[in-house]
Amino acid sequence: MHKPLADKIRPSELEDVVGQEHILGKNKILNRIIESGCISNMIFYGPPGTGKTTVANIIARKTSKRFYRLNATNSSLKDIQDIVDELDTFMGREGVLLYLDEIQNFNKKQQQSLLEFIEDGRITLIASTTENPYHYIFKAILSRSTIFEFKVLNDENIINALKRAVEKSKSFYPGMQVDVDEDALNYFAASSNGDLRKAINGLEVALYSTNPNSDKVIHITKTIAEESTQSKILNYDLMGDSHYDILSAFQKSIRGSDADAAIHYLARLVKAGDLPSICRRLLVIACEDVGLAYPNAITIVKSCVDAANMLGFPEARIPLAQATILLATAPKSNTAYKAIDGALFDLEKVNIGDIPNHLKDSHYAGAKEIGRGIEYKYPHDYKNNYVKQEYLPSNLRGSCYYLPGDNKNEKVASDYWKNIKK
């Protein structure tokens, strides 16, 4: 059976693992734990191809416990039970180290089935996940584990690992030389999006598909690297962290008036083809972050959104970019957002009282007999269409939800009403 190159050359020592210096560097916490040999329950969290499985394998070699590996994608309660059945046998006398890959795919019952054995130490759990553990892992397991975040590898990390892969792969081609151009290595790294496994898979395709020349050299050029690598795949899952992280960065960049960053994150969303999320977020931003500083923004954004939905991708990217740049460069105000949230807060926390009688509906026979609408003053009957009267419930009298923002549009409106009301 063919074994992938990434598995053939997987590091067996910590010093060969690239990246993750924040936890694996000299004197860093995970490094110290592994070197001590006193392994506790751990959860490795991070994108694919960042070293989670490799580090788990290295830990397994440094412990006397019996090692099991399960993938939650295709494992069941029976698989866990089979492991549990060995705990009281000779084979499990030192305890068990269980590496559970993609733990987010286990439901609550499956995760709970491990608790008793984690609690008494008979099973030491190392779980890995590409999703936020605080969203997907049972809280009782979280409370008994240390979470380590594995970060996306940079190009330098990946190039160093690829050079090691090239050296290791030479032993698979006896009597031949392997030569990979520097710009080919750079291309593998750039197209991997921080996923080392993807970069090594590209190198593997290049090696297997390239015949040696007359000098018995397998020479990998940038052109071969481009042919051997699939188009760049972004880390984006409609139900996962990356979806919400990109949308969050998109809105925060617009709110921060950085048009270039906003367009960058829009491009990620466009690349993922996530038209509904883009449209919804743009409409929210127009009201939440631009708001009354530029009230026409929502009208223009709605037109851009309608156009994008009519056009579909790829053309939809153009009106979406127009709306994004408009919002990023527009003056900002969140006064409407703060006003409604303040009012909603009072609904939950304050005894708001009754609507004043003069504001209640009086368009029916008998309304006046019960005091409805009698003292209401019709503003259009007064100068400047304004007359002072109480509109809030008596329990909320004096409450202020809307505070005009420090921008031209709201200042003009505020000054106008100050003049009228005085």
Side-chain angles (χ1 to χ4, degrees):
M1 184 175 69
H2 169 70
K3 190 175 183 180
L5 179 61
D7 284 336
K8 287 181 182 178
I9 64 168
R10 190 183 295 278
S12 57
E13 300 295 333
L14 277 182
E15 52 264 31
D16 292 326
V17 178
V18 297
Q20 315 313 331
E21 287 85 0
H22 63 294
I23 51 175
L24 292 176
K26 188 176 180 181
N27 293 324
K28 296 298 182 180
I29 179 65
L30 186 52
N31 186 311
R32 298 202 308 271
I33 290 173
I34 295 171
E35 291 302 325
S36 74
C38 299
I39 308 303
S40 57
N41 300 309
M42 294 182 252
I43 295 171
F44 294 166
Y45 155 51
T50 52
K52 301 186 295 297
T53 302
T54 297
V55 173
N57 287 340
I58 292 172
I59 292 173
R61 280 189 286 272
K62 290 183 176 289
T63 179
S64 58
K65 296 177 184 291
R66 184 163 174 79
F67 181 61
Y68 291 91
R69 178 177 175 179
L70 294 178
N71 189 306
T73 305
N74 51 26
S75 298
S76 64
L77 277 172
K78 185 181 183 305
D79 296 305
I80 297 174
Q81 190 58 51
D82 290 343
I83 295 171
V84 169
D85 289 343
E86 285 196 10
L87 290 176
D88 296 323
T89 68
F90 179 79
M91 295 176 70
R93 69 189 188 282
E94 300 289 339
V96 162
L97 176 65
L98 171 61
Y99 176 54
L100 183 55
D101 199 10
E102 305 294 347
I103 188 175
Q104 75 274 7
N105 291 313
F106 262 10
N107 59 36
K108 186 175 180 180
K109 183 177 180 181
Q110 289 171 308
Q111 293 186 36
Q112 284 178 316
S113 68
L114 294 166
L115 267 181
E116 175 189 346
F117 308 102
I118 292 173
E119 190 75 51
D120 63 21
R122 284 185 288 171
I123 290 180
T124 301
L125 176 68
I126 300 179
S128 68
T129 176
T130 55
E131 304 294 347
N132 191 322
Y134 294 100
H135 297 165
Y136 291 92
I137 298 179
F138 187 44
K139 286 182 173 56
I141 289 180
L142 285 180
S143 69
R144 292 161 175 79
S145 308
T146 305
I147 297 174
F148 294 99
E149 182 176 3
F150 282 62
K151 297 182 178 179
V152 174
L153 300 176
N154 60 36
D155 285 0
E156 182 182 354
N157 295 147
I158 292 176
I159 290 170
N160 287 337
L162 286 172
K163 288 179 178 177
R164 175 181 176 275
V166 170
E167 286 303 310
K168 293 280 185 182
S169 65
K170 289 178 179 177
S171 62
F172 309 140
Y173 299 94
M176 298 183 191
Q177 289 182 301
V178 176
D179 182 22
V180 182
D181 290 348
E182 194 72 27
D183 55 358
L185 292 174
N186 291 334
Y187 184 83
F188 284 130
S191 63
S192 69
N193 202 38
D195 183 338
L196 178 56
R197 187 183 295 109
K198 184 174 186 295
I200 293 177
N201 288 346
L203 173 64
E204 182 178 23
V205 171
L207 291 172
Y208 286 154
S209 62
T210 304
N211 294 321
N213 59 23
S214 56
D215 296 323
K216 295 187 176 180
V217 176
I218 300 174
H219 182 206
I220 308 300
T221 64
K222 183 183 177 184
T223 300
I224 294 173
E226 291 171 348
E227 293 171 348
S228 305
T229 306
Q230 57 183 296
S231 60
K232 189 173 182 180
I233 299 175
L234 294 177
N235 183 23
Y236 191 87
D237 179 352
L238 279 173
M239 298 303 293
D241 271 4
S242 58
H243 167 75
Y244 296 104
D245 287 345
I246 296 172
L247 284 172
S248 176
F250 179 53
Q251 179 162 2
K252 287 171 181 172
S253 298
I254 293 176
R255 182 184 296 151
S257 302
D258 190 329
D260 295 313
I263 284 291
H264 166 75
Y265 292 114
L266 173 65
R268 291 197 189 195
L269 294 164
V270 168
K271 182 78 171 175
D274 192 0
L275 184 56
S277 293
I278 301 171
C279 293
R280 180 179 178 277
R281 193 56 64 113
L282 286 171
L283 290 167
V284 168
I285 294 167
C287 300
E288 180 182 345
D289 297 306
V290 174
L292 294 169
Y294 183 24
N296 283 341
I298 183 62
T299 306
I300 299 170
V301 169
K302 179 61 167 62
S303 296
C304 290
V305 163
D306 288 345
N309 280 305
M310 289 181 68
L311 290 167
F313 287 128
E315 289 85 355
R317 74 190 189 283
I318 303 167
L320 295 175
Q322 178 180 333
T324 298
I325 294 170
L326 172 83
L327 293 174
T329 56
K332 304 295 189 294
S333 172
N334 70 342
T335 54
Y337 163 75
K338 291 173 73 174
I340 187 59
D341 277 8
L344 288 169
F345 178 85
D346 279 359
L347 289 182
E348 293 289 332
K349 303 295 182 182
V350 177
N351 178 10
I352 57 176
D354 197 13
I355 297 171
N357 272 343
H358 63 281
L359 298 182
K360 292 181 178 179
D361 179 32
S362 59
H363 292 88
Y364 56 91
K368 289 185 179 180
E369 281 71 11
I370 55 174
R372 301 295 193 261
I374 294 174
E375 297 178 5
Y376 176 63
K377 299 172 185 176
Y378 187 56
H380 297 297
D381 289 340
Y382 296 83
K383 184 180 178 182
N384 297 316
N385 304 299
Y386 173 76
V387 60
K388 186 174 182 180
Q389 64 184 325
E390 191 59 52
Y391 291 96
L392 278 168
S394 58
N395 288 11
L396 295 177
R397 192 166 293 162
S399 296
C400 183
Y401 299 115
Y402 171 60
L403 294 172
D406 188 19
N407 57 77
K408 181 180 177 181
N409 189 69
E410 289 183 87
K411 279 183 175 180
V412 168
S414 176
D415 291 344
Y416 171 80
W417 284 111
K418 280 179 184 174
N419 247 348
I420 297 296
K421 292 182 178 182
K422 76 181 179 181

